[in-house]
Amino acid sequence: GVQQAAKNSITLKGSAEIVSEFFSYGINSILYQRGIYPPETFSRVQKYGLTLLVTTDNELKTYLNNVLMQLKDWLLDKTVEKLVVVVTSIDTQEVLERWQFDIQCDKTMTEDSKPREKPLKEINDEIKAVIRQITASVTFLPLLEENCSFDLLIYTDKDLQVPEAWEESGPHFIAKSEEVRLRSFSTSIHKVDAMVCYKNTA
């Protein structure tokens, strides 16, 4: 019936909401798993058939909400290309990890386009697989033994092709790094590819 059709119809706005919601839970998961904030400042929620942890820290909540609202606008504008979580040692200012999410979108889609067909359950299952990998990353990532802070960087197609920050001399380059590609998911309008780059301390 009608209800079922609505579940499979993905509009540009719907897609932007799905993707920004993924980042809300994904970033929270990274901050929790990597110990950037104390574990007791997170509470449990059920999402995507998983138990996830989200921050209860008001300052962090406000910051993330503001960033994600901006991100949703850029997803609607089809201008966002990359979101990166950079984990830095507070003492040495050295970048220890870089979580990179490359975002592709179908530039032909507009607010008025006929919705795309893809079951929401299928999208949620793909997102679940990505979040599971973020959660499991603690099994292969080196232990962060020092206090770390994080930066959230978002690149749009208005930025330079290669942001200078990623160049070998740039502040976000990781020497002796290993890279692990994670899964991707697609709403059929936006596609997100995930990877994590980390300093090999061995």
Side-chain angles (χ1 to χ4, degrees), residues 82 84-89 93-100 149-155 163-177 179 195 197-199:
K82 214 186 273 298
V84 186
V85 181
V86 181
V87 178
T88 309
S89 159
Q93 291 300 301
E94 185 181 8
V95 174
L96 302 177
E97 286 175 14
R98 195 173 81 225
W99 295 78
Q100 186 167 312
S149 63
F150 84 101
D151 281 304
L152 214 47
L153 309 171
I154 299 179
Y155 294 96
E164 277 174 29
W166 309 118
E167 299 290 346
E168 289 206 16
S169 58
H172 302 302
F173 180 75
I174 303 178
K176 294 206 283 287
S177 67
E179 200 173 287
M195 58 153 289
C197 181
Y198 61 94
K199 186 180 170 61

Side-chain angles (χ1 to χ4, degrees), residues 81-82 155-167:
E81 295 190 336
K82 214 186 273 298
Y155 294 96
T156 68
D157 58 11
K158 311 273 187 286
D159 294 309
L160 297 170
Q161 280 313 89
V162 176
E164 277 174 29
W166 309 118
E167 299 290 346

Side-chain angles (χ1 to χ4, degrees), residues 44-56:
R44 291 170 187 280
V45 295
Q46 296 294 318
K47 184 73 188 172
Y48 310 121
L50 300 170
T51 300
L52 300 178
L53 287 124
V54 294
T55 184
T56 55

Side-chain angles (χ1 to χ4, degrees), residues 61-90:
K61 262 179 18 192
T62 304
Y63 169 72
L64 288 177
N65 286 342
N66 288 340
V67 171
L68 293 164
M69 273 163 59
Q70 176 65 75
L71 177 67
K72 199 192 288 187
D73 285 346
W74 283 337
L75 287 162
L76 277 172
D77 291 343
K78 306 180 296 272
T79 55
V80 63
E81 295 190 336
K82 214 186 273 298
L83 181 144
V84 186
V85 181
V86 181
V87 178
T88 309
S89 159
I90 290 173

Side-chain angles (χ1 to χ4, degrees), residues 102-113:
D102 291 315
I103 302 164
Q104 294 164 18
C105 68
D106 180 343
K107 301 271 191 185
T108 63
M109 264 321 255
T110 66
E111 292 277 8
D112 307 318
S113 297

Side-chain angles (χ1 to χ4, degrees), residues 111-127:
E111 292 277 8
D112 307 318
S113 297
K114 184 172 175 291
R116 289 290 155 81
E117 294 300 313
K118 183 165 182 177
L120 199 53
K121 182 182 183 314
E122 204 179 305
I123 298 169
N124 281 341
D125 284 347
E126 289 175 16
I127 291 177

